[in-house]
Amino acid sequence: MMSDKISVAWGIDKNYILQAFVVMKSILMHSGSDYDFHILSGDEIGDEIKAFEKILKMKHHNFSVTFHRISAEIFSEAHITNSHLSLAAYNRLLIPEILTECKRCIYLDCDIIVNGDLRELYDYKIDDNYVAGVRDNNLIVMNEGRQKHMDSLGLPSMNTYINSGVLVMNLDRLRKDNIVQRFLLQSQKDNLFEDQDVINVCCYGSIGILPLKYNLFHFYSGRKIKTLFDRDYQESDFDFDWNRPFILHMGGHFKPWISMRFIGAEEWWSYADDFSESKLYRQYKDSLDNNKITKKMNVKSLPIKMCGYQRAFIWGYTKLGKEMCDFLGRAGLTVDAILDNNHDLSGKNYKGIDVILPLDVKDQMREACILVAVIKSVNKRQVTEELRQYGVKDEQIVLANEYKKDILYYMSVDSRYYKEVLEDIMYYEQGEAPDSDIFEVVKSPNLYPILYYNLYKKYYFREWLERC
């Protein structure tokens, strides 16, 4: 399929203007085709978009930018489960009715870098499917949680479940079959993965599959892509430069404008520098320079913070909660109790630490540091709100995942920061770093079998540790 101009769309709010233009910059750096860029937003950001377009026009002339203001009320009944997203994620669902003159378009998230000529993706053969995308690296792996997710959506299979961050959209067919109305109805239901669930439910049976290189998450780039080898991909899916995929997707919470630690951050900021005179650029740059994650994320600061309070509670009788009990115990701190609203857990204990209902110690909470050891973003928000109702101040609340990172965090870290990350891991596991150099533990498993095993079991470090 050939067209004179390539239509590319984004759905954003006022917080993602700079990010959208960074993606545009990366597109234009790798392509001489003409582009019609479209931005859909419920926020009145037309003036800001014009200002950024003017900056981009100083070096590139083969594009136009059209701003489409949509009603902020359209998705007022939609749900957000993942904290790094906003309701603007649903804006992409309106593209077929907004871009009425376009037969096809590419939709892109704002946390990506394009490393190839987008003409190649635009002309990719998707037959008569509604949309085409890359199968979601994580959600196609079936386990108990994925089975419940699939059942809740009413899908017979996850074999064609795609990530919605990069889409080729057949706008003609989507309009012909009035799929946007299905999108709107589905968006009001419980969708664990927001707009992505909506698209996969409403387009099921007419979803094309794109090669992996068109949407590779940064935590699977480089040698870490080997973690995908045992998933349901073809050998040909891996036939590209793993360090520089056609599209690098900096997914999850691990964004380049949050920390320079993450893969893709250096390149992202090199594109962003074109907009260095803008207010938004300066805001993100200042936040980056002052962000504690940008600097060494030292887990030693957790016991120091908790020592400032008369009491210490852990919220959540979870695996993470138990790990935090162990860590704080090694650091010489006493945990007064584990708090959990599940009445069935009341009276249990973990290594002598009682599990009690929060209501039973609500008066004591005002003088305590409370470590929230729950995983899901929606649960963290609920717990935080409940604590505030008990009179707990925000500075008393510590989210455990600020210190104990998940595996995708470690896999997202640029190799230049591996030593700092490993030191934090070892301090968390041991209470203090081993006398020998941290890399000796990794390189000499026979000399440090216990430490090595802990790293392997908990952090899957073989796939993310590329240099030691």
Side-chain angles (χ1 to χ4, degrees), residues 292 297-299 301-309 311-316 320 324 327-328 368-374 380 383-384 387-388 392-404:
K292 62 184 178 182
M297 186 60 181
N298 198 327
V299 75
S301 61
L302 176 57
I304 293 173
K305 177 176 177 59
M306 299 194 80
C307 280
Y309 296 89
R311 296 178 181 276
F313 295 112
I314 289 180
W315 188 299
L320 178 56
M324 301 311 289
F327 169 65
L328 293 172
C369 184
I370 301 172
L371 188 67
V372 178
V374 294
K380 284 184 281 191
V383 171
T384 299
L387 287 171
R388 288 170 181 157
V392 176
K393 298 177 181 178
D394 286 351
E395 56 263 30
Q396 296 173 248
I397 303 171
V398 178
L399 300 181
N401 66 339
E402 291 182 3
Y403 295 89
K404 174 62 167 63

Side-chain angles (χ1 to χ4, degrees), residues 119 129 148 159 179 211 219 286 298 304 378 459:
R119 165 70 66 183
N129 289 302
K148 290 181 179 179
N159 289 342
I179 300 300
F219 37 74
D286 289 345
N298 198 327
I304 293 173
V378 63
Y459 303 100

Side-chain angles (χ1 to χ4, degrees), residues 64-78:
S64 64
V65 180
T66 304
F67 171 55
H68 305 271
R69 177 76 187 277
I70 63 175
S71 171
E73 301 300 315
I74 293 178
F75 298 111
S76 60
E77 300 299 318

Side-chain angles (χ1 to χ4, degrees), residues 162-432:
I162 58 174
N163 181 271
S164 63
V166 177
L167 299 172
V168 179
M169 306 183 74
N170 184 345
L171 301 185
D172 268 353
R173 190 177 177 211
L174 287 165
R175 282 190 290 264
K176 176 183 176 182
D177 293 349
N178 201 22
I179 300 300
V180 169
Q181 293 307 307
R182 295 190 209 171
F183 286 163
L184 294 175
L185 290 173
Q186 180 66 32
S187 70
Q188 297 177 20
K189 300 179 181 180
D190 289 331
N191 300 292
L192 182 60
F193 294 98
E194 290 89 10
D195 65 282
Q196 183 168 289
D197 278 352
V198 173
I199 291 170
N200 279 281
V201 168
C202 297
C203 296
Y204 185 82
S206 292
I207 297 176
I209 304 301
L210 298 175
L212 187 59
K213 70 175 183 177
Y214 291 122
N215 187 359
L216 183 70
F217 284 110
H218 61 337
F219 37 74
Y220 292 125
S221 63
R223 276 193 348 192
K224 299 182 295 294
I225 201 171
K226 294 179 180 179
T227 60
L228 303 180
F229 281 5
D230 60 353
R231 301 184 188 181
D232 191 15
Y233 292 103
Q234 302 295 320
E235 184 176 348
S236 58
D237 284 325
F238 302 100
D239 187 18
F240 63 93
D241 184 349
W242 303 341
N243 292 302
R244 191 176 175 80
F246 192 97
I247 293 179
L248 181 71
H249 192 166
M250 294 160 285
H253 302 273
F254 320 118
K255 310 299 188 189
W257 53 88
I258 293 177
S259 172
M260 288 300 294
R261 273 191 171 195
F262 299 135
I263 294 167
E266 184 174 349
E267 186 174 5
W268 189 91
W269 279 102
S270 71
Y271 290 134
D273 283 343
D274 273 15
F275 310 98
S276 60
E277 297 304 313
S278 69
K279 181 179 178 181
L280 280 173
Y281 174 94
R282 293 193 297 273
Q283 287 176 346
Y284 279 108
K285 194 69 170 179
D286 289 345
S287 175
L288 181 74
D289 290 340
N290 295 321
N291 195 313
K292 62 184 178 182
I293 305 178
T294 306
K295 303 177 179 65
K296 186 170 185 286
M297 186 60 181
N298 198 327
V299 75
K300 297 177 184 179
S301 61
L302 176 57
I304 293 173
K305 177 176 177 59
M306 299 194 80
C307 280
Y309 296 89
Q310 297 181 35
R311 296 178 181 276
F313 295 112
I314 289 180
W315 188 299
Y317 188 62
T318 61
K319 179 181 178 183
L320 178 56
K322 294 173 184 177
E323 285 186 17
M324 301 311 289
C325 284
D326 293 339
F327 169 65
L328 293 172
R330 290 194 297 268
L333 287 182
T334 300
V335 176
D336 292 83
I338 300 173
L339 310 180
D340 204 298
N341 277 323
N342 187 342
H343 285 72
D344 294 337
L345 297 175
S346 184
K348 291 183 177 293
N349 76 85
Y350 177 71
K351 296 183 178 180
I353 303 172
D354 292 331
V355 182
I356 61 177
L357 296 171
L359 278 172
D360 293 342
V361 290
K362 63 178 182 179
D363 294 333
Q364 301 173 37
M365 288 186 189
R366 295 184 179 89
E367 59 185 21
C369 184
I370 301 172
L371 188 67
V372 178
V374 294
I375 301 299
K376 292 184 178 179
S377 298
V378 63
N379 292 341
K380 284 184 281 191
R381 288 196 295 269
Q382 291 171 351
V383 171
T384 299
E385 183 56 36
E386 184 174 344
L387 287 171
R388 288 170 181 157
Q389 293 174 3
Y390 292 141
V392 176
K393 298 177 181 178
D394 286 351
E395 56 263 30
Q396 296 173 248
I397 303 171
V398 178
L399 300 181
N401 66 339
E402 291 182 3
Y403 295 89
K404 174 62 167 63
K405 301 297 184 180
D406 62 24
I407 182 58
L408 291 184
Y409 168 85
Y410 297 115
M411 293 173 70
S412 301
V413 172
D414 188 284
S415 59
R416 290 170 296 178
Y417 297 93
Y418 281 170
K419 184 168 185 177
E420 294 177 2
V421 170
L422 277 171
E423 287 173 349
D424 283 349
I425 288 174
M426 293 305 299
Y427 183 80
Y428 179 82
E429 294 294 338
Q430 290 296 109
E432 59 181 18

Side-chain angles (χ1 to χ4, degrees), residues 5-9 35-38 99 102 104-106 122:
K5 289 189 176 182
I6 299 172
S7 297
V8 188
Y35 289 87
D36 284 331
F37 294 141
H38 298 268
L99 275 61
C102 302
R104 168 186 289 216
C105 84
I106 294 174
Y122 186 77

